[in-house]
Amino acid sequence: MSNFEFRQDPLNRDWVIIAPLRSKRPDVAKGSEPVCPFCEGNEALTPREVYRLGKGRVNKPGWEIRVTPNKFPFAPIHEVVIHSPRHEENFFTFSKSKLIKIFKVYRQRYLEHQSKGQVFIFHNFGKEGAESLPHSHTQIAVIPSELTLRIPLMGIQENTFRATKYFNLFCPEASHWPAEVWIGPKARGESFGSISPSQTEDLAKAVALVLKKLEKFLRPEFPFNFYIYPAGDWYLRIIPRLKVLGGFEIGTNVFVNTADPVSTAKALGR
């Protein structure tokens, strides 16, 4: 088989991706961290970059943000956005100006690929958040349009604890995970690629604000995931990874949330 294969269960119509090559990727959770391929000076360890912010030649130092193909893909287009040349920086320590640049790169790559499939942008942080390499990065996977992705739709923006110029920060009543936060645009029905530069800046600042508040509510540099909904009526969802799914949740896809979203929103709004 190729590096990956999409298969659909003929009975329940669920999709699965079979990707054996990904078992060979480095994984700090398993103690297999190599020389970091994302650090400045190690550009030759990554596939040839497809986009960069900053100076310098392709696959050479001088960059601020790099985008390269993923060496262990599970989609026809699968990219890695390397946020910084410096190994120790992350979403908790980036300046707001840096975060704005990162989100502008997300938007640029979304627009580059939006005609090729469903552009799914996601970030993993910490071992519990399935981060395989600790050097801060985000992945962008472009999934064929015919695959149905079962991603929650954005409904009522309820339990809003903060509003910015363009976004509401809220905790849905039916949140799956303790202390999860959604960032939803006030203008409904648009796709992520349609946001303006000023909305992009506002979004980056909103993410920084949420993470800062969650650090006080949870613990410093807690593990988390976020993703950006890939279609119309988009949102950004931040999921702290402070629990492990049990057999009931895995078997039924019914989540047991040990934190009331109403109480979470009240705590974050202080």
Side-chain angles (χ1 to χ4, degrees):
M1 64 178 294
S2 62
N3 290 339
F4 56 87
E5 182 180 321
F6 298 101
R7 297 179 186 172
Q8 188 178 34
D9 187 302
L11 292 179
N12 60 33
R13 314 304 294 172
D14 286 341
W15 286 95
V16 63
I17 302 174
I18 307 300
L21 181 64
R22 287 185 64 78
S23 67
K24 301 183 183 299
R25 71 192 192 279
D27 189 346
V28 292
K30 298 178 181 178
S32 59
E33 181 181 0
V35 173
C36 181
F38 296 162
C39 284
E40 188 172 34
N42 294 339
E43 291 82 7
L45 298 179
T46 69
R48 184 178 176 85
E49 68 189 51
V50 295
Y51 185 80
R52 74 160 48 191
L53 286 184
K55 301 178 181 179
R57 293 179 291 139
V58 172
N59 272 36
K60 296 294 182 181
W63 52 279
E64 292 184 60
I65 301 171
R66 295 178 75 222
V67 182
T68 76
N70 195 312
K71 289 179 69 175
F72 308 96
F74 61 74
I77 299 172
H78 190 171
E79 297 180 342
V80 177
V81 181
I82 307 169
H83 301 145
S84 170
R86 289 171 287 279
H87 189 81
E88 68 282 355
E89 294 186 326
N90 59 51
F91 265 85
F92 293 104
T93 63
F94 288 138
S95 66
K96 288 182 180 179
S97 61
K98 179 70 172 185
L99 287 174
I100 290 169
K101 291 180 180 179
I102 291 171
F103 275 85
K104 286 182 176 179
V105 171
Y106 292 168
R107 180 178 178 274
Q108 192 280 336
R109 301 316 293 166
Y110 185 98
L111 292 173
E112 176 73 18
H113 297 308
Q114 64 178 348
S115 65
K116 305 168 188 174
Q118 303 173 82
V119 184
F120 194 76
I121 301 171
F122 64 100
H123 176 70
N124 304 328
F125 179 79
K127 294 179 181 180
E128 297 91 339
E131 179 184 59
S132 58
L133 282 173
H135 192 125
S136 186
H137 64 283
T138 289
Q139 298 181 63
I140 301 176
V142 183
I143 306 299
S145 299
E146 60 268 24
L147 268 68
T148 301
L149 301 179
R150 294 192 176 184
I151 310 173
L153 300 174
M154 181 170 64
I156 300 171
Q157 298 184 20
E158 53 203 353
N159 300 319
T160 297
F161 60 87
R162 179 69 64 91
T164 68
K165 183 176 181 179
Y166 297 106
F167 299 97
N168 289 320
L169 284 51
F170 63 101
C171 301
E173 288 279 333
S175 295
H176 293 177
W177 297 84
E180 73 170 85
V181 174
W182 294 36
I183 300 175
K186 295 178 179 178
R188 301 292 297 268
E190 299 178 346
S191 69
F192 175 68
S194 66
I195 65 176
S196 66
S198 57
Q199 287 174 307
T200 305
E201 293 186 14
D202 198 30
L203 175 62
K205 293 176 181 177
V207 170
L209 173 65
V210 170
L211 291 178
K212 183 177 181 180
K213 283 186 168 291
L214 284 173
E215 274 196 297
K216 294 180 179 179
F217 183 64
L218 301 172
R219 68 171 191 251
E221 298 200 3
F222 59 90
F224 71 94
N225 308 109
F226 76 66
Y227 68 81
I228 297 174
Y229 185 73
D233 212 10
W234 74 277
Y235 59 84
L236 186 149
R237 183 186 185 191
I238 298 174
I239 304 173
R241 294 296 298 275
L242 302 179
K243 61 169 282 185
V244 177
L245 295 183
F248 176 81
E249 292 160 304
I250 294 172
T252 65
N253 201 36
V254 177
F255 287 72
V256 179
N257 190 345
T258 55
D260 181 3
V262 176
S263 300
T264 300
K266 290 179 179 177
L268 296 176
R270 293 176 187 146

